[in-house]
Amino acid sequence: MKVLVGYKRVVDYNVRIQVKPDGTGVVTDGVKLSANPFDDIALEEALRLREKGLAEEVVVVGIGPADLTAHLRNGLAMGANRAIHVQTADAVSPLTAARTFLKLIEKEEPGLVILGKQAIDDDANQTGQMLAALWDRPQATFASKVEITDGKATVTREVDAGLETIEADLPAVITTDLRLNEPRFIKLPDIMKAKSKPIDVIELGSLGVDAADHIKTTHYSAPPKRSKGVMVKDAAELVAALKQKGLL
Amino acid sequence: MTDPRLSELAHLLPELKISTDPGDLEHHGRDWTRRWTPEPLAIAWPSSIEEVQGVVRWANAQGVAVVPSGGRTGLSGGAVAANGELVLSLDRMNRVLGFDPIDRTLTVQPGIALEAVHNAARERGLLYPVDFAARGSCQIGGNIATNAGGIRVIRYGNTRQWIAGLKVVTGTGDVLDLNRGLVKNASGYDLRHLVIGSEGTLGIVVEATLSLTSPPPPSQVMLLAVPAMDALMKVFAEARHRLRLEAFEFFTDRALHHVLAHGAQRPFDETHPFYVVTEFDAADERAEADALAFFEFCLGEGWVVDGAISSSEGQAAALWRLREGITESLAPHKPYKNDVSVRISAVPAFMAEMQDLLSAEYPHFDVVWFGHIGDGNLHINVLKPADLDNAVFVGQCEHVTSMLVETLARHGGSISAEHGIGLVKKPWLGSVRSEVEIALMRGIKAVWDPNGIMNPGKLL
């Protein structure tokens, strides 16, 4: 079985996000960029399936500008067999990402696609669901446990009410939740080996994907600063203050 | 509060919070050492400089000793109160008082936690660079009193380098306003530096003006598996030559064993005798390529046999946890601890000699080494064998200390690199400082604290 893994690059989740002064986006220059944490979990899960003998090949897929190569090399160093770099200088919406994956699926014919449940930059939580619909295959989202047997995936999902276990026929789309696994460290000797692993570069335009932007982001702004707390002397003053704010 | 001395204190300072609750006495009467039974007279929580002065004047009048008390994360007994002292806790003086963007200084009260200082600096786009594992609980006043070091000394130096000004209440109750944030001030003895590292024996830090700096560019963390002790310093020299180091720490396989048993993530499938955690600037792809070239070179020389690198800040933290989690993971084994230093170049010879002595005399001991090897600072921990009686173990450890002191003396080292002398190291001060030096220190103390009420029995 071949496993396709989405591997997006985002601003590291420990970085304090700053909005550009002109409101056209967030500052990414000189800022630590890392793999989307849920994508690291997706890749880790694919590698574990391969190590268990349930998958033969793990392919990481990135959609983005030319300098995404170094990021994909990290995915290769972590253990993916090869990488596909779909090049575009434009921002990629979830729908465009899903359509791109569909084109790659037609070519690669994977038995399983594992994506992060969402990327921590836009927090859209859409690509996996859209892809399953376009591909007309089952989806198992928010996975916290995955078992593969006899062409079926048994997936434990983290839902509001607790845990839900579902069965999906393969091929299918799985999206990962935080507790699925703990991604391994990248070993330095593997970075050296990853230099010789293949990265296929495909222009997004050449895939025939409709990449039209249906949604336009007009402005970015930082959330309002939290105002300072107020000290009150006693319960009566607290009640009065809350009433004044219309909270009681 | 039946003690008349406390009634007098409460009368003099009616706003002062005082407690004689047994729980408070035990909690605030000790630090992270457990050798002494806490027995303070009471705990007082002043909330202003004037209240600190009032307490000190009362202590002079009543002949009560005062133990200044911060986060009490110390390992040398410097904050232990076991002889009816008044513990003067700075917990309530924990605010940021001011920030000057032109001076790049942050003025704080002494009871603020180190981590809160980090956050206050970060909120202003700057960095307070002194950092170590106890950051969440330790307080800046205690950092100053011990000239705390930690994991970034290799790049930024000790606490001393970052103190632009200090307000101190002396043992007589006078307030000194030392250096006032001046960058240059060639006007005689710099008393600020006497207070830094004085372990509360000269006075109480009541306000500090801290220098801040620009945050470093993004960094990466590397974990290296090192096959032999003599390779450690070669790896260090190579790393310092090729990379802009933020930290360079080492630990042994025994240390990793305990951290993993405590729940950390295993980095390599095989075990190796030594590990290095190093953090370095990785602003761009060139810096990352330099790091890889450094690794390839060391691999080629046989100085390292495996390595892992952080691909995100989360993984950087996970790699750091392998080093920073050691102290906590050892705690259940009641370790005998020592914090020593030698010149950086003398580390392998000193460590080999000490390890040989230990293996010969106490082959059954689980000896765990780790530390800031890039500063020549080693932490040695001997774990109590489960089947060994505690009293016997303590006796044997005293002998280990004698061996350590003699070995250090041969290598020109220090029995306390960064933990301070406190009570624990007091018997050995003479191995690091000459008689004349110690006499001068006593003379200084007598001037600052003529009645000997400031943290008596510690250091001297």
Side-chain angles (χ1 to χ4, degrees):
Chain A
M1 180 173 75
K2 184 191 287 186
V3 184
L4 225 53
V5 174
Y7 202 59
K8 188 177 182 180
R9 184 178 66 176
V10 297
V11 174
D12 192 278
Y13 81 98
N14 277 320
V15 169
R16 181 180 290 258
I17 300 290
Q18 282 179 312
V19 177
K20 286 182 187 167
D22 63 1
T24 56
V26 300
V27 177
T28 53
D29 287 346
V31 164
K32 174 89 180 162
L33 301 173
S34 305
N36 176 37
F38 296 109
D39 294 358
D40 258 340
I41 293 170
L43 177 53
E44 176 66 35
E45 196 63 19
L47 296 175
R48 289 184 189 187
L49 290 176
R50 192 185 63 195
E51 283 157 7
K52 282 184 209 153
L54 295 164
E56 286 80 46
E57 190 180 27
V58 175
V59 183
V60 285
V61 177
I63 310 171
D67 69 354
L68 200 66
T69 312
H71 162 71
L72 290 170
R73 289 255 173 246
N74 279 343
L76 294 173
M78 208 169 137
N81 299 75
R82 60 190 175 89
I84 300 174
H85 179 182
V86 180
Q87 261 193 23
T88 172
D90 299 330
V92 178
S93 69
L95 184 56
T96 303
R99 285 173 171 159
T100 304
F101 267 93
L102 185 65
K103 291 288 178 191
L104 296 178
I105 285 167
E106 285 165 6
K107 200 170 137 206
E108 298 283 341
E109 298 181 340
L112 181 62
V113 177
I114 311 182
L115 305 177
K117 70 169 179 179
Q118 68 199 66
I120 60 165
D121 50 1
D122 57 15
D123 275 341
N125 180 359
Q126 290 174 327
T127 306
Q129 295 86 331
M130 287 176 170
L131 175 61
L134 292 172
W135 190 17
D136 198 19
R137 293 300 310 169
Q139 57 176 295
T141 52
F142 312 122
S144 64
K145 192 176 174 201
V146 173
E147 275 171 357
I148 307 281
T149 39
D150 307 328
K152 277 195 173 76
T154 307
V155 176
T156 305
R157 306 180 61 229
E158 301 210 348
V159 294
D160 284 346
L163 296 178
E164 176 188 76
T165 304
I166 60 169
E167 239 178 44
D169 288 328
L170 298 181
V173 178
I174 293 176
T175 74
T176 60
D177 216 322
L178 199 61
R179 276 166 283 273
L180 179 58
N181 59 49
E182 188 169 20
R184 65 197 64 192
F185 296 114
I186 294 179
K187 304 233 303 182
L188 284 154
D190 293 336
I191 294 184
M192 292 156 65
K193 283 180 211 150
K195 284 180 188 168
S196 58
K197 288 184 179 177
I199 300 182
D200 298 332
V201 180
I202 305 170
E203 281 297 326
L204 178 62
S206 73
L207 283 176
V209 169
D210 173 12
D213 256 337
H214 303 286
I215 298 170
K216 196 174 166 211
T217 305
T218 54
H219 191 73
Y220 288 79
S221 63
K225 276 199 173 155
R226 260 178 71 175
S227 54
K228 274 200 170 162
V230 185
M231 292 301 286
V232 292
K233 274 208 289 289
D234 50 29
E237 203 178 308
L238 176 67
V239 170
L242 290 174
K243 273 192 176 151
Q244 201 193 342
K245 287 183 175 291
L247 296 168
L248 264 184
Chain B
M1 231 167 280
T2 50
D3 191 300
R5 296 171 297 178
L6 292 178
S7 310
E8 172 70 10
L9 181 60
H11 173 70
L12 287 170
L13 301 167
E15 300 283 309
L16 180 68
K17 184 182 166 195
I18 307 172
S19 169
T20 52
D21 174 81
D24 284 336
L25 295 184
E26 183 179 1
H27 183 64
H28 289 271
R30 67 181 180 194
D31 56 13
W32 278 4
T33 56
R34 288 291 179 270
R35 264 160 66 181
W36 295 273
T37 308
E39 225 166 290
L41 170 69
I43 318 297
W45 288 270
S47 55
S48 67
I49 294 177
E50 291 71 27
E51 280 191 343
V52 174
Q53 285 181 282
V55 171
V56 171
R57 287 185 183 130
W58 162 86
N60 273 293
Q62 299 286 338
V64 175
V66 173
V67 176
S69 177
R72 300 180 323 285
T73 56
L75 297 165
S76 294
V80 166
N83 291 304
E85 302 97 329
L86 180 87
V87 172
L88 189 152
S89 168
L90 293 146
D91 286 354
R92 293 177 85 185
M93 294 175 68
N94 63 354
R95 285 183 300 126
V96 173
L97 298 174
F99 167 67
D100 191 309
I102 296 170
D103 293 332
R104 298 226 284 191
T105 55
L106 189 75
T107 300
V108 298
Q109 292 186 307
I112 188 169
L114 175 60
E115 194 163 41
V117 171
H118 290 161
N119 293 338
R122 194 177 303 126
E123 277 167 24
R124 292 159 175 89
L126 291 168
L127 172 79
Y128 179 71
V130 179
D131 189 21
F132 42 90
R135 64 182 75 84
S137 341
C138 72
Q139 298 175 4
I140 202 76
N143 291 185
I144 293 165
T146 55
N147 187 24
I151 53 186
R152 293 182 199 276
V153 169
I154 193 171
R155 171 87 170 248
Y156 299 105
N158 294 296
T159 298
R160 186 183 298 284
Q161 272 86 333
W162 300 93
I163 305 301
L166 280 184
K167 279 192 187 154
V168 180
V169 171
T170 67
T172 54
D174 295 311
V175 179
L176 305 179
D177 190 359
L178 302 173
N179 200 56
R180 305 179 302 279
L182 296 174
V183 178
K184 294 187 169 183
N185 180 14
S187 57
Y189 307 145
D190 195 334
L191 301 179
R192 164 183 54 152
H193 286 298
L194 266 184
V195 174
I196 300 168
S198 65
E199 304 189 21
T201 61
L202 300 181
I204 299 161
V205 173
V206 289
E207 193 179 303
T209 298
L210 311 173
S211 298
L212 306 179
T213 187
S214 304
S219 62
Q220 271 189 309
V221 177
M222 208 185 245
L223 178 75
L224 301 170
V226 180
M229 207 181 284
D230 60 350
L232 275 175
M233 300 322 281
K234 291 176 183 157
V235 173
F236 171 61
E238 201 62 33
R240 191 144 73 158
H241 177 60
R242 290 172 180 255
L243 308 173
R244 185 89 169 92
L245 293 181
E246 283 270 318
F248 193 93
E249 301 276 310
F250 99 109
F251 51 92
T252 59
D253 180 47
R254 289 310 301 165
L256 183 68
H257 166 83
H258 291 288
V259 176
L260 294 181
H262 210 65
Q265 188 184 355
R266 175 179 287 282
F268 304 123
D269 295 335
E270 292 90 34
T271 60
H272 306 276
F274 301 96
Y275 300 91
V276 163
V277 173
T278 179
E279 182 166 344
F280 48 88
D281 289 357
D284 48 31
E285 282 185 31
R286 215 190 107 194
E288 288 180 26
D290 286 347
L292 200 59
F294 152 73
F295 175 74
E296 284 186 59
F297 180 81
C298 292
L299 196 66
E301 296 288 326
W303 300 338
V304 304
V305 290
D306 207 346
I309 192 160
S310 63
S311 62
S312 66
E313 300 282 313
Q315 283 206 331
L319 287 174
W320 264 119
R321 205 143 48 232
L322 299 173
R323 161 65 186 85
E324 292 201 312
I326 296 171
T327 298
E328 200 184 320
S329 73
L330 298 181
H333 303 280
K334 296 189 170 33
Y336 155 86
K337 289 170 169 297
N338 247 310
D339 154 55
V340 303
S341 64
V342 290
R343 279 180 300 121
I344 302 169
S345 57
V347 165
F350 163 74
M351 242 176 87
E353 203 172 307
M354 195 59 214
Q355 187 60 50
D356 285 350
L357 282 171
L358 283 168
S359 307
E361 294 236 3
Y362 301 110
H364 57 294
F365 275 1
D366 185 0
V367 181
V368 177
W369 292 89
F370 62 94
H372 320 292
I373 199 168
D375 313 325
N377 179 184
L378 303 168
H379 298 310
I380 174 172
N381 285 250
V382 181
L383 309 193
K384 191 183 88 60
D387 55 354
L388 191 64
D389 177 70
N390 197 44
V392 177
F393 177 65
V394 168
Q396 293 181 340
C397 286
E398 274 167 26
H399 182 225
V400 171
T401 304
S402 324
M403 285 161 44
L404 198 57
V405 166
E406 285 163 25
T407 314
L408 280 167
R410 279 198 295 282
H411 292 273
S414 171
I415 188 70
S416 172
E418 60 177 3
H419 290 175
I421 296 292
L423 291 169
V424 173
K425 305 287 182 67
K426 202 169 82 162
W428 314 105
L429 184 63
S431 75
V432 202
R433 301 298 196 101
S434 71
E435 274 178 41
V436 180
E437 269 185 290
I438 294 172
L440 282 172
M441 284 161 77
R442 287 188 191 283
I444 291 165
K445 167 137 174 103
V447 174
W448 283 64
D449 176 28
N451 292 328
I453 59 148
M454 289 307 308
N455 215 8
K458 317 290 165 52
L459 179 58
L460 293 168

